[in-house]
Amino acid sequence: MTLRTLILLRHAKAETPGEIPDFDRSLTERGTSDADAAGAWLVDERLHPDLVICSPAKRTRQTWQAASLALAQGDPAHGAPEVHYEDQLYYGGRTEVFDLLRAVPDTVRTILLIGHNPTVSEVSALLIPDDQWDGAAVELKTSGIAVHTTEDGWSDAQPKGMRLSRRHTARG
């Protein structure tokens, strides 16, 4: 069996909603620093994505950009992952996340999914098997990371199907 890892990352701190469209909100200075810290934490934990599935919203793309720089600097020998910007991560919900995961080839071992709340927190909570679930709310803060693992193929991704191995909130 092959261990597969799903890293859920909520985008970093973004500008307060205002006159610009939500889709176009940028990261704050703190958000950029936190996204960099998220990438550094992934390096420290030896979590290198083979595939990145990212919302196309500006703040998620900027989160990936800062995290990817930290990943590249922390482990320059590790190649850059394939990146897919998926509208479903912005416009959809948890059903669409599971659909995206099920479409990933089983040759991919580690996925980094960068999205928005409440969806990323809901997906993390849904993935936890009954024997690990303690009833506590799973709420990812900005730059929050939840790492889930499974020996099943991605096509079998389903609620209660991936153990929560680590949680972290990155701060720069």
Side-chain angles (χ1 to χ4, degrees):
M1 289 258 170
T2 300
L3 185 66
R4 289 180 179 76
T5 303
L6 172 63
I7 307 160
L8 297 171
L9 171 59
R10 182 179 173 196
H11 67 78
K13 180 75 175 162
E15 298 171 323
T16 303
E19 294 183 19
I20 62 171
D22 180 71
F23 190 87
D24 296 324
R25 290 172 46 215
S26 294
L27 293 184
T28 62
E29 188 175 317
R30 181 189 122 195
T32 300
S33 176
D34 291 349
D36 178 72
W41 185 82
L42 293 174
V43 169
D44 290 345
E45 295 295 308
R46 294 180 171 78
L47 293 168
H48 301 281
D50 303 309
L51 173 66
V52 175
I53 304 174
C54 186
S55 161
K58 188 172 187 176
R59 60 192 177 274
T60 48
R61 287 184 288 119
Q62 289 176 328
T63 298
W64 167 238
Q65 180 181 15
S68 70
L69 289 173
L71 278 164
Q73 290 171 352
D75 187 2
H78 198 84
E82 184 175 338
V83 181
H84 295 185
Y85 295 97
E86 298 288 350
D87 288 342
Q88 300 96 310
L89 290 180
Y90 183 77
Y91 296 106
R94 56 191 187 207
T95 299
E96 288 75 14
V97 170
F98 280 98
D99 290 344
L100 287 167
L101 292 175
R102 289 180 189 124
V104 172
D106 286 340
T107 54
V108 172
R109 295 186 61 168
T110 303
I111 298 172
L112 171 60
L113 187 142
I114 306 170
H116 309 268
N117 256 3
T119 302
V120 290
S121 290
E122 290 173 353
V123 168
S124 184
L126 282 170
L127 287 170
I128 299 171
D130 286 337
D131 69 332
Q132 190 182 29
W133 181 250
D134 64 4
V138 176
E139 177 70 24
L140 294 174
K141 307 288 185 199
T142 56
S143 299
I145 301 168
V147 180
H148 292 267
T149 59
T150 185
E151 292 182 354
D152 294 334
W154 296 115
S155 60
D156 297 322
Q158 63 182 334
K160 303 178 190 277
M162 294 183 187
R163 299 194 70 74
L164 179 64
S165 65
R166 290 169 264 193
R167 287 188 63 188
H168 177 73
T169 300
R171 295 292 183 243

